[in-house]
């Protein structure tokens, strides 16, 4: 199999490496257009769009398995994507502090099977609980955090870790790739040995 990760995320790259497979990186560059009725549908569709974009470049490679992923944070039914700037990031953290929210990651696998293009997608949800934060802590976080490139404005594996009270579900899903579920989905589809 020729595995290709349709993402430039260093976190996804690191997590996918835990499968013990060799893979290439070929980030999707198309515009992300959310579509779907639920957060689960939206992340599955975004992941499928990314994987399909890269799969279109590999139509002659019958062994290609393209892996696309997308993560969103959901608070009170509203999707929080990546913040526009530091002020937006602080606003997101202000909403998340002292309460629970959900993190959805959609994953799509595009591959050829018996001469047909296949795309299998799934979504994982993890509930994350934040400790309460003071206004000063939120302002400091907004000014200095590395959360600008992360859904919801934070990374559970980085400086936001000191504010995470607990999670219900898969930690790696919050980082950006539910690697255990991915492994089992790939095993069921006979895409990994």
């Amino acid at each position: 199999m020729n595995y290709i990760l349709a993402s430039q995320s260093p976190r996804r790259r690191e997590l996918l490496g835990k499968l013990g497979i060799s893979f290439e990186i070929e980030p999707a560059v198309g515009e992300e257009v959310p579509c779907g009725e639920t957060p689960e549908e939206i992340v599955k569709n975004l992941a499928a769009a990314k994987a399909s974009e890269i799969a279109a470049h590999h139509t002659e490679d019958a062994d290609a398995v393209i892996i696309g992923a997308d993560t969103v944070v959901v608070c009170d039914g509203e999707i929080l994507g990546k913040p526009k700037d530091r002020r937006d990031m602080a606003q997101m953290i202000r909403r998340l502090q002292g309460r629970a929210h959900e993190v959805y990651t959609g994953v799509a696998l595009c591959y050829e099977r018996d001469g047909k293009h296949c795309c299998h997608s799934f979504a994982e949800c993890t509930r994350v609980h934040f400790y309460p934060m003071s206004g000063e802590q939120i302002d400091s976080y907004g000014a200095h955090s590395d959360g600008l490139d992360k859904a919801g404005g934070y990374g559970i594996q980085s400086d936001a870790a000191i504010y995470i009270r607990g999670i219900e579900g898969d930690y790696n899903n919050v980082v950006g790739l539910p690697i255990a579920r991915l492994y089992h989905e790939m095993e069921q589809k006979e895409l990994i040995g």
Side-chain angles (χ1 to χ4, degrees), residues 15-56:
L15 287 169
L16 188 57
K18 294 181 185 219
L19 286 184
I21 59 173
S22 296
F23 60 93
E24 300 170 32
I25 307 290
E26 193 174 330
V29 295
E31 182 181 351
E32 292 185 19
V33 180
C35 64
E37 298 294 316
T38 65
E40 181 176 323
E41 288 176 4
I42 290 168
V43 292
K44 284 169 61 175
N45 290 336
L46 286 168
K50 291 176 181 181
S52 294
E53 176 190 325
I54 302 307

Side-chain angles (χ1 to χ4, degrees), residues 73-76 78-99 101 130 133-145 147-148 150-154:
V73 168
V74 179
C75 184
D76 294 331
E78 182 182 343
I79 291 177
L80 305 178
K82 295 177 184 175
K84 298 182 292 268
D85 53 31
R86 291 200 167 277
R87 183 175 179 206
D88 190 34
M89 183 171 60
Q91 289 294 95
M92 287 182 182
I93 295 301
R94 188 168 278 109
R95 287 188 64 185
L96 299 176
Q97 65 87 26
R99 55 188 309 205
H101 63 274
F130 261 73
M133 296 170 68
S134 68
E136 184 178 309
Q137 288 171 322
I138 292 168
D139 290 344
S140 176
Y141 183 89
H144 304 291
S145 173
L148 282 172
K150 298 171 181 70
Y154 77 93

Side-chain angles (χ1 to χ4, degrees), residues 5 9 24 29 39 51-52 54 56 68 74 89-90 118 120 135 162 173 182 191:
L5 177 61
S9 164
E24 300 170 32
V29 295
S52 294
I54 302 307
V74 179
M89 183 171 60
C118 302
H120 170 70
I162 62 173
N173 184 56
L182 174 59
L191 296 173

